[in-house]
Amino acid sequence: MNLIMHELSIATSIIKTTENEVDISIGEKVTEIILEIGKLSGVEIQSLHFVWELAAKNTVLEDSKITIFEPEGIAICAECDTEYKLEKIYDPCTKCNSPFKKIISGKELKIKKLIIN
C-alpha cells in the first residue's frame, strides 16, 4: 500500500505541475504527456500507471496519452573514471569495485513534453 501511495503522490505532483503549465499557456487540456523517469529514481512504473487514471480523472490530463521513457542508470567511478551501468544505486564500479561514483543518468523524474490544446 505504501508503494502505491508513493506513486499516487508523484502522479498528483505531475498533475499539479501540468495544470500550472496549461494555465500559463491559456490552454484547456493536455492530449499527451511525455515523462522521463530513470530506473534509479525509486518510482515503480507499474504502480504509477495503476494510479494514473484515477489521479488524472477530472483534470486537464484526463484521457491524455502518457508515454514514459526510463533512462538506464549510468555512473562514473570516482576512483578509476570508468563509466558503467548501474542496476541498483549502490552497485560498485565494474572495473575496480569502488563504491564511490558520480551518477550521471537514471535518477531523472521529469516532464519532458506536454501537448496542450
Side-chain angles (χ1 to χ4, degrees):
M1 183 68 166
N2 283 343
L3 188 61
I4 290 175
M5 293 304 291
H6 178 251
E7 275 61 28
L8 181 58
S9 171
I10 290 167
T12 302
S13 179
I14 291 168
I15 291 164
K16 284 181 183 176
T17 301
T18 301
E19 287 178 329
N20 288 339
E21 289 300 315
V22 170
D23 286 345
I24 291 168
S25 70
I26 313 172
E28 293 180 23
K29 182 175 176 51
V30 174
T31 56
E32 183 176 5
I33 183 169
I34 299 173
L35 304 174
E36 187 174 72
I37 302 174
K39 293 192 181 220
L40 303 174
S41 67
V43 177
E44 175 57 50
I45 301 299
Q46 285 182 319
S47 295
L48 182 61
H49 277 295
F50 180 76
V51 300
W52 185 259
E53 188 176 332
L54 179 63
K57 191 165 183 70
N58 298 321
T59 73
V60 297
L61 283 159
E62 186 171 24
D63 300 323
S64 64
K65 178 184 176 194
I66 181 172
T67 303
I68 299 174
F69 293 102
E70 294 181 79
E72 295 289 334
I74 299 179
I76 296 176
C77 178
E79 302 290 329
C80 71
D81 286 331
T82 298
E83 184 174 303
Y84 62 100
K85 193 180 204 180
L86 292 169
E87 295 298 321
K88 296 182 184 112
I89 205 159
Y90 298 110
D91 287 349
C93 176
T94 54
K95 183 176 180 185
C96 74
N97 215 32
S98 171
F100 303 110
K101 62 191 152 285
K102 177 181 179 185
I103 297 174
I104 58 173
S105 175
K107 292 177 71 177
E108 302 85 354
L109 179 49
K110 301 177 186 175
I111 298 172
K112 291 296 284 184
K113 184 176 183 180
L114 295 171
I115 298 177
I116 300 171
N117 286 339

